Every structure is written in structure tokens, then in C-alpha cells.
Amino acid sequence: RKEVEQDPGPFNVPEGATVAFNCTYSNSASQSFFWYRQDCRKEPKLLMSVYSSGNEDGRFTAQLNRASQYISLLIRDSKLSDSATYLCVVNIGGGSQGNLIFGKGTKLSVKP
Amino acid sequence: GAVVSQHPSRVICKSGTSVKIECRSLDFQATTMFWYRQFPKQSLMLMATSNEGSKATYEQGVEKDKFLINHASLTLSTLTVTSAHPEDSSFYICSAPGASSYNEQFFGPGTRLTVL
């Protein structure tokens, strides 16, 4: 079983749509969780951390279910500029030297 | 957030040559930096952890004699791909951990290596 699994997509949605991405992780000792965004041929950039109680940042909502080892990202009112690959990332180290494990990413394409 | 730079952004070289990639933390010190590799449509894979003042820690399957890492100062780590082959063509990205308790990492812009 892969450490971090995501639906590769692509998700093709119209502007204004709501889209949800799911992610599962295999290491139950994982300490912290993130969603990164990666544009084509660019480096990943942190979109948001994922907290146990769930958190929201504007149109983006992230949720964590430790019991199911499941993470989600919800994007409301999709914009053209949201088109990118979204990476689910898990830190299994916990300390400052932690090891980030990346999912392969889910590709989102928002169409006019 | 913190800024990490990488140089060069793109390099094309002949098979058998060596290529050096630099990773710098511009506005903070990084005792640790990470080197990742990403093949097309694949996830980022950690290659090694670069430690200032000591030897790098390599992930399983990564040849330390082929991928030389030097963390010469608190703001600079270098990755040298020695005797490069076409299968080494990839996107190489470095990162440095931030100070937050959730261990955010700041990524450099990446280096796209093409070996002919």
C-alpha cells in the first residue's frame, strides 16, 4: 500500500463549481498534514496545513480524520487560477527534521 | 514566508558530465535542507537530507557516490550529479524546513536537468 494515496484526476470543472479532493495515508503515526499546490513545471507551494479540528482559509476547507487516516480538501467557487495539481503531504517525522511524504497529486482543471 | 533559491533553473548536459545544483536559503539559516527528485507525473521523492557540518543522509536506493551533497554553510547546500546519464534527467528540488510547529518546508524553484 502506498504511503499517501490520491485520486490522480484530472478533475475538469466549470468556474464556480465546488470540488473535493480526498487523500489517505498509511502511517498511523503521522504527525502533521498539508495540502500543497504545484503548478506545471514549478515547485510545490504550501496551500494550507490541516488541523485535527478542520480549518478553512477563504474558499478552501481542509479536514482530517485520524481514525480513518483520511484528509480532504474542498474548494468552493472554483476560479480559473485554481487550475493546478494539489498534493496531499504527510509529515511522518514530527520533529524539525521531519520527513515529508508526498502523494502523486490530483490535477484540477477549471474551465470558463 | 522564507525564501529558498536554486541555481541553475535549467541545465542540459552531455552524458558523462557532472552537474552542480545550488540551494540557498536567502533570509534565514538552515541547518538542514532536503533534496527531492520528481519524474514526470510522479510524486516528489526524497533523495537525501543535507546537514550543515556533517554528512548527508541518503534515502534507500539513492547512490551517495553519484549524488554528492555538500552543506558548506548555514545558507548553502549543493547537489552534484556525477557522471550524469539520461535516466538522471528529472526535476530536482531542494527545501528547507520552516520554524512552525507543523514543520512547513519552503521549496526552491527547482532545477530541470536534461542529460543527452
Side-chain angles (χ1 to χ4, degrees):
Chain A
R1 183 182 171 186
K2 296 177 183 176
E3 294 202 64
V4 177
E5 289 200 66
Q6 294 181 250
D7 182 341
F11 283 52
N12 298 308
V13 303
E15 268 188 293
T18 295
V19 60
F21 302 140
N22 303 319
C23 169
T24 57
Y25 60 95
S26 61
N27 190 329
S28 60
S30 298
Q31 299 278 336
S32 48
F33 311 88
F34 309 90
W35 283 100
Y36 276 76
R37 168 192 171 132
Q38 187 174 24
D39 292 287
C40 188
R41 294 177 173 262
K42 299 288 186 181
E43 77 277 20
K45 293 188 177 179
L46 180 67
L47 178 65
M48 58 195 303
S49 302
V50 186
Y51 304 124
S52 297
S53 55
N55 49 298
E56 185 175 306
D57 182 1
R59 298 182 293 109
F60 300 86
T61 301
Q63 292 195 314
L64 167 66
N65 184 323
R66 285 188 183 268
S68 302
Q69 296 180 199
Y70 169 91
I71 306 162
S72 66
L73 176 68
L74 184 76
I75 305 176
R76 291 182 299 278
D77 190 22
S78 300
K79 311 291 185 190
L80 296 176
S81 57
D82 293 334
S83 297
T85 296
Y86 290 83
L87 307 175
C88 177
V89 184
V90 172
N91 188 330
I92 63 173
S96 61
Q97 314 297 316
N99 188 353
L100 293 186
I101 306 297
F102 287 79
K104 285 190 176 181
T106 299
K107 187 173 182 180
L108 172 65
S109 180
V110 182
K111 306 291 186 184
Chain B
V3 178
V4 175
S5 71
Q6 258 183 265
H7 177 81
S9 58
R10 174 173 288 190
V11 59
I12 301 172
C13 68
K14 292 182 179 179
S15 186
T17 59
S18 293
V19 175
K20 179 186 281 188
I21 303 170
E22 293 186 348
C23 178
R24 293 181 186 272
S25 56
L26 296 186
D27 51 359
F28 67 106
Q29 293 182 334
T31 55
T32 299
M33 289 183 176
F34 300 99
W35 285 97
Y36 294 85
R37 180 168 55 183
Q38 186 178 32
F39 292 106
K41 297 187 179 182
Q42 299 296 313
S43 59
L44 273 76
M45 296 299 294
L46 181 66
M47 298 176 66
T49 301
S50 173
N51 304 300
E52 190 270 335
S54 64
K55 291 183 179 180
T57 304
Y58 289 83
E59 296 300 302
Q60 193 172 12
V62 178
E63 299 176 57
K64 63 180 181 180
D65 295 328
K66 180 170 181 61
F67 298 99
L68 302 179
I69 290 173
N70 185 354
H71 199 138
S73 74
L74 288 171
T75 60
L76 173 64
S77 175
T78 61
L79 168 68
T80 301
V81 183
T82 62
S83 186
H85 289 104
E87 58 265 30
D88 298 324
S89 299
S90 187
F91 192 45
Y92 292 85
I93 311 176
C94 70
S95 73
S100 73
S101 61
Y102 279 87
N103 304 305
E104 175 184 356
Q105 289 190 17
F106 298 97
F107 286 86
T111 298
R112 190 161 300 279
L113 171 64
T114 302
V115 184
L116 302 177

